[in-house]
Amino acid sequence: MPPANPLMSSPPEGVGVGQHIVGLAPSIVDVVARLPAETWQHCLSLIGRRPGEWRRIDAAVARALLDVIVGADASHVLLHTETDLPSDVVIRPGSTVANALSVIPPRDGLRRTFVSTVGVRGDAWDPLSEFFRTAIEAIGIAHHAVPVVGDNPVVFVLSSHAQVDRTLAMFPGVADELGDFDLGGLAPTLVLADVYNLGPHPFGRFVDRMITSKRHAVLLSLGNHTILTGGDRAQQVRRYIDDGCLVGLCGNIQEYEALYPDLGPGDDRIHRLLDRVAASVPYALVTRGADGMVATWDGHRTEVPAISLPIEEIVNTSGAGDAACGMFAAGIISGDLPARTLQRATIAAAQALRRF
């Protein structure tokens, strides 16, 4: 029987020496670009998809897309920071976990580490892996690399000037690999993981073993409501909840409703939902967009309104929930007041909406 984690039974007393938030996810790079119509259509034809559709692509197509978007050899641009990107192109570390870690403010006694696989070819990391590591460390997050022979995964999020449609193309690369890795060697106070990374592959099985072992306090993001709808993933997460494997849970209202489709209608369904989760999970956050956020916090319920933004200031609707999750995680291990934590989460979410 593994030792009980103190976060599982009582709130932390505050940040002290050794407080450590560890994120576990693939090394994903987001490429966000505003593109002229002709370039937009060319990119869609390369991946064989329409706006809004998903497709896994191979390394050659990923590199071809980067070359089109950047307008130069992508590997050179990624590896040489003095090379400027086009003004309408942003390349940055992606994934829910990386987004959550990046908004957590640095403070004395608190460390942030991102654990991920990286692609290695010969004696060198592939360019996207090297870019990912450099970008993560530039914002004060330590990177613990688990090398795997192959290419690094990449996610493209493309938007045109004329429309807000998005297309997402994922190159899995080494994302499904992990191998044997002792997470305990990092002595995490809290581990951040994402439902999206669960699944019948080595990485997903590693995350599952980590959660069910109860050796670490785990805050789980619910990922996306589509992967929780009508499948085994929701059942898997409900089992984590019922078995007391999680210290925290974060998601939006659609994700929680997909997790518990039997809640039924009614204005009080969010409270019934939280009652069900709070029986086994000390900390749970539900984001509701313009309706604000509500959370259970070690037996207490807290609610805050959203920050109202003019529509013209909202340039990106992805990442707001990730930012809220990061601030919620920081509040849990710092022992902060729940109302203050949720207020900070709403501010972080609003900032994410303004970020291109």
Side-chain angles (χ1 to χ4, degrees):
M1 178 70 68
N5 191 294
L7 282 179
M8 290 294 186
S9 56
S10 62
E13 297 297 330
V15 173
V17 176
Q19 294 290 322
H20 192 189
I21 298 181
V22 175
L24 183 64
S27 307
I28 292 177
V29 175
D30 281 349
V31 181
V32 187
R34 293 191 181 100
L35 302 170
E38 183 178 347
T39 307
W40 164 257
Q41 291 300 329
H42 179 43
C43 288
L44 291 179
S45 67
L46 281 175
I47 60 175
R49 281 295 182 268
R50 293 174 300 187
E53 293 183 330
W54 292 44
R55 183 180 178 181
R56 290 175 178 247
I57 58 177
D58 62 24
V61 175
R63 284 191 284 270
L65 274 172
L66 269 176
D67 290 347
V68 169
I69 294 167
V70 173
D73 179 82
S75 296
H76 180 83
V77 173
L78 290 169
L79 294 177
H80 297 82
T81 55
E82 71 277 5
T83 304
D84 293 331
L85 287 169
S87 60
D88 280 352
V89 177
V90 175
I91 304 178
R92 57 175 173 250
S95 84
T96 290
V97 173
N99 290 337
L101 280 177
S102 67
V103 302
I104 297 173
R107 61 182 70 168
D108 291 341
L110 174 62
R111 293 176 294 145
R112 296 170 295 165
T113 297
F114 190 94
V115 177
S116 67
T117 51
V118 294
V120 177
R121 286 183 264 161
D123 296 327
W125 290 13
D126 73 89
L128 283 167
S129 294
E130 184 63 33
F131 173 83
F132 182 89
R133 178 193 65 81
T134 301
I136 281 287
E137 293 185 345
I139 56 179
I141 300 172
H143 182 232
H144 190 97
V146 182
V148 176
V149 176
D151 293 289
N152 205 58
V154 58
V155 170
F156 288 90
V157 183
L158 310 178
S159 66
S160 73
H161 283 297
Q163 59 193 44
V164 295
D165 291 323
R166 299 288 192 270
T167 183
L168 185 64
M170 177 179 290
F171 167 53
V174 299
D176 291 347
E177 302 294 335
L178 189 63
D180 295 325
F181 172 68
D182 180 16
L183 187 63
L186 294 174
T189 308
L190 184 67
V191 178
L192 300 183
D194 186 44
V195 168
Y196 188 81
N197 299 135
L198 296 169
H201 45 71
F203 193 93
R205 289 192 291 270
F206 177 88
V207 175
D208 178 72
R209 290 194 302 271
M210 183 269 299
I211 293 173
T212 57
S213 72
K214 302 184 185 180
R215 293 185 180 276
H216 306 291
V218 177
L219 188 150
L220 186 65
S221 166
L222 288 177
N224 186 291
H225 74 277
T226 58
I227 62 174
L228 291 169
T229 302
D232 296 334
R233 201 70 59 90
Q235 183 178 352
Q236 185 178 12
V237 175
R238 288 194 297 268
R239 186 173 68 250
Y240 295 155
I241 294 170
D242 294 341
D243 292 347
C245 297
L246 304 174
V247 70
L249 196 65
C250 288
N252 62 39
I253 186 62
Q254 291 82 13
E255 291 157 2
Y256 275 96
E257 289 175 343
L259 186 61
Y260 293 107
D262 61 336
L263 281 173
D267 293 338
D268 67 335
R269 72 186 187 282
I270 190 169
H271 298 291
R272 287 184 279 123
L273 182 156
L274 283 171
D275 287 341
R276 185 176 298 189
V277 172
S280 304
V281 181
Y283 304 93
L285 173 68
V286 184
T287 62
R288 300 180 294 166
D291 292 327
M293 303 180 189
V294 59
T296 56
W297 187 279
D298 200 42
H300 303 282
R301 189 159 298 168
T302 303
E303 187 169 352
V304 296
I307 294 175
S308 180
L309 294 178
I311 189 65
E312 62 271 14
E313 291 187 21
I314 300 176
V315 297
N316 178 23
T317 56
S318 64
D322 302 343
C325 181
M327 296 306 295
F328 193 65
I332 290 173
I333 73 164
S334 69
D336 212 342
L337 294 173
R340 172 182 275 184
T341 295
L342 262 63
Q343 287 166 357
R344 289 174 173 169
T346 58
I347 293 171
Q351 290 172 339
L353 293 172
R354 293 187 179 105
R355 184 181 73 160
F356 170 57

